[in-house]
Amino acid sequence: MMAAAAACLLLSGCGGHQSVSAPEYVFRYAENQAADYPTTLGAEHFAQLVFERTGGRIQIVVYPDAELGSEAAVIEQLRFGGIDFARLSLSPLAEVAPSLSVLHLPYLYRDEAHMWQVLDGEIGDSFLCALDAVNIIGLSWYNAGARSFYTTEPVNSPDDLRGLEIRVQESSMMAEMVRLLGAIPVPIVYSDVYSALETGRVDGAENNWPSYESMAHHEVAPYFYLDKHNRVPEMQVISAAAAAKLSAEDMEIIRLCAHESAIFQREEWARRERLSEETCKAQGVIAVQPGEDDLKLLEELCKPLYESYAADHSSVLEQIISLRAEE
Ligand code: GCU
């Protein structure tokens, strides 16, 4: 919206000579979160930076609330140039570029700082190219915190998860993880999770604090089991078709703005994560912190995924694990 407002200013400033200041390119950016969510704020910031730095030649219009479709649908469209930009969770992206699975294995990162050490370093840079073969180009990494289970009935131990029907992302690894924990995975599109919880189609789901609060899942599944089973980073991407229209200089601007917007997004994320947790607890959510033994058990149960999803990337995996020890 800010980019659009700036465009109007430019237009009126030029006395209505639209051909002089009308954007050369108008791109569509897909986002499945609400307008006030940290990733959407990051996207708007990105659009604004690109608009300013290209003197209004490149306009990026952000469509929040999954207006352009589910993540799986957006990925398909990106591949064929129907959508130009997006911010996507790594789980569905790994369905088209399986090597990405190694970056969101359960209990992989010691903490958030460890994850950034990996993503802001050589490993993260190299994985921004993981989607090249499917015509999607990675631009920057966004934060999505740690995911935990939440349910309509209390869960106080790993055992309580057994037999529950749990909504999962459109992701084979997340489905397998839920199976390994003794529960039943039910893939459902993000925007349909609230009604699936409300109608009892599933007993629970899993996500981070901001998503849980923003989508009001806490209203219908008020038991939050803080097992923090994985961190699923998110990528800002451009379709190869959109990139092909741009000069090397413009692509450089796009990359720089994507990186700057990622710094902005991470600050917004930290703020919202705290706020969402506070809001949920104030509204009656019961958060359970699993003990050390239970966390060890969960980690152990998820271990087979390291073999099935990262066997081809054992050296990257070793590098990531070796960084765990560095504070
Ligand atoms: C997070 C992520 C979304 C994703 C969602 C999900 O909220 O930011 O991009 O769609 O998880 O669980 O599907």
Side-chain angles (χ1 to χ4, degrees):
M1 272 171 68
M2 292 181 80
C8 291
L9 277 178
L10 264 181
L11 287 171
S12 55
C14 292
H17 296 296
Q18 298 217 353
S19 55
V20 179
S21 55
E24 234 171 276
Y25 305 96
V26 179
F27 289 124
R28 298 195 307 160
Y29 185 123
E31 169 56 70
N32 75 347
Q33 303 285 8
D36 68 345
Y37 196 84
T39 53
T40 318
L41 298 176
E44 291 289 2
H45 189 65
F46 170 63
Q48 192 191 339
L49 289 175
V50 172
F51 191 79
E52 285 168 10
R53 303 232 176 118
T54 59
R57 280 186 306 106
I58 303 182
Q59 188 183 352
I60 299 170
V61 184
V62 179
Y63 294 83
D65 290 316
E67 239 181 274
L68 300 183
S70 69
E71 289 192 301
V74 167
I75 292 169
E76 271 316 290
Q77 294 233 42
L78 282 164
R79 293 181 67 174
F80 302 105
I83 289 175
D84 309 299
F85 288 89
R87 185 283 313 161
L88 294 155
S89 168
L90 226 54
S91 318
L93 278 175
E95 294 299 294
V96 293
S99 68
L100 289 170
S101 304
V102 72
L103 296 181
H104 60 107
L105 286 165
Y107 300 105
L108 176 65
Y109 302 110
R110 183 196 64 229
D111 52 19
E112 192 175 306
H114 176 206
M115 182 184 79
W116 290 127
Q117 215 181 338
V118 171
L119 297 180
D120 288 337
E122 272 173 32
I123 299 178
D125 284 351
S126 68
F127 275 92
L128 285 177
C129 306
L131 294 147
D132 285 3
V134 292
N135 299 328
I136 299 174
I137 300 167
L139 296 172
S140 72
W141 297 103
Y142 271 23
N143 199 1
R147 297 177 77 101
S148 293
F149 290 105
Y150 45 88
T151 45
T152 52
E153 296 293 328
V155 163
N156 295 310
S157 71
D159 219 37
D160 292 343
L161 288 168
R162 301 201 147 270
L164 296 186
E165 298 208 44
I166 302 288
R167 177 269 169 173
V168 289
Q169 292 176 277
E170 294 144 303
S171 153
S172 63
M173 189 178 87
M174 296 301 273
E176 189 53 26
M177 181 193 78
V178 163
R179 246 179 246 120
L180 288 167
L181 298 179
I184 301 147
V186 184
I188 295 175
V189 169
Y190 186 49
S191 48
D192 293 344
V193 179
Y194 180 93
S195 70
L197 289 164
E198 194 187 27
T199 58
R201 181 171 164 213
V202 290
D203 304 304
E206 48 81 56
N207 217 319
N208 50 54
W209 280 114
S211 299
Y212 179 56
E213 178 259 321
S214 166
M215 299 300 275
H217 296 172
H218 65 295
E219 290 173 7
V220 281
Y223 300 98
F224 203 84
Y225 186 59
L226 271 164
D227 64 303
K228 296 188 174 174
H229 45 263
N230 67 348
R231 292 183 179 273
V232 183
E234 311 198 328
M235 224 194 247
Q236 248 190 332
V237 301
I238 179 173
S239 75
K245 293 179 190 160
L246 298 172
S247 65
E249 291 76 27
D250 281 346
M251 271 307 287
E252 192 48 33
I253 295 175
I254 299 267
R255 280 185 206 282
L256 281 172
C257 295
H259 277 101
E260 280 183 42
S261 80
I263 296 168
F264 174 86
Q265 188 270 345
R266 292 179 202 180
E267 285 163 10
E268 291 295 324
W269 180 266
R271 210 193 325 276
R272 181 64 179 260
E273 199 174 41
R274 275 194 306 272
L275 191 68
S276 293
E277 179 175 353
E278 276 166 28
T279 307
C280 288
K281 287 180 174 167
Q283 292 181 14
V285 163
I286 300 181
V288 170
Q289 175 59 54
E292 281 304 311
D293 288 350
D294 282 349
L295 287 173
K296 279 213 184 75
L297 174 61
L298 291 166
E299 187 174 342
E300 216 36 60
L301 289 170
C302 292
K303 269 283 141 65
L305 296 176
Y306 281 59
E307 187 49 36
S308 42
Y309 284 87
D312 296 343
H313 301 279
S314 52
S315 78
V316 179
L317 186 57
E318 270 168 36
Q319 271 174 273
I320 298 177
I321 291 173
S322 71
L323 289 172
R324 253 188 214 158
E326 290 178 24
E327 284 289 340

